[in-house]
Amino acid sequence: MRGACCTAAKVVNAREAGTAGYLAPPMQRPQVSIIIVSYNTCSVLRACLGSIRAHAGMPCSVIVVDNASADGSGAMVKAEFPEVNLIAQSENLGFSPANNLGIAQAPGEWIILLNPDTELRPGALATVWVSLWGRI
């Protein structure tokens, strides 16, 4: 099953494409990877990614798994958020398999599954991390 999911995906990596780097420095393994599954959520996904960019407060990687959206979500991610890793599905495999694809690509030690209609508030991620582990 895993092989079937992975063959349907095209991974676009900002480091390989030569565009702007991750939110985390390229040589530093991020502590957190944020996985977002998208299906025709372009406008709310833009707001979600913008809030992560503005308010993450700590090194993290972001992976968007686009489940064959027809609304330009994938193109928007590539154009406006080159630091995000985009996994563009050729078909909608569903929410759980898409999360599994993102998790398989995640470089972070810890995974956060975030819905595309979620926006981070300033300091929220860092506050949770410090509450759990005592430091960033």
Side-chain angles (χ1 to χ4, degrees):
M1 179 74 97
R2 181 177 176 183
C5 292
C6 291
T7 57
K10 178 182 178 189
V11 177
V12 178
N13 182 302
R15 288 184 293 178
E16 293 170 2
T19 58
Y22 285 118
L23 293 173
M27 300 309 283
Q28 176 184 346
R29 181 177 182 194
Q31 294 173 321
V32 175
S33 288
I34 300 173
I35 313 298
I36 304 167
V37 174
S38 173
Y39 179 68
N40 293 326
T41 61
C42 189
S43 63
V44 294
L45 179 59
R46 178 181 287 117
C48 177
L49 293 173
S51 75
I52 294 168
R53 181 187 276 163
H55 305 302
M58 60 185 294
C60 62
S61 66
V62 180
I63 299 170
V64 170
V65 181
D66 184 68
N67 260 339
S69 294
D71 69 346
S73 295
M76 180 276 298
V77 171
K78 284 185 202 178
E80 298 178 29
F81 299 93
E83 72 275 15
V84 171
N85 286 331
L86 174 66
I87 301 174
Q89 289 292 108
S90 60
E91 62 180 312
N92 186 347
L93 297 178
F95 185 73
S96 294
N99 274 311
N100 289 336
L101 283 173
I103 291 167
Q105 297 291 322
E109 296 178 50
W110 298 93
I111 304 293
I112 295 175
L113 303 178
L114 199 62
N115 287 345
D117 62 349
T118 305
E119 293 183 36
L120 287 186
R121 292 179 169 243
L125 183 58
T127 299
V128 169
W129 188 263
V130 170
S131 296
L132 291 172
W133 305 111
R135 62 179 171 74
I136 292 181

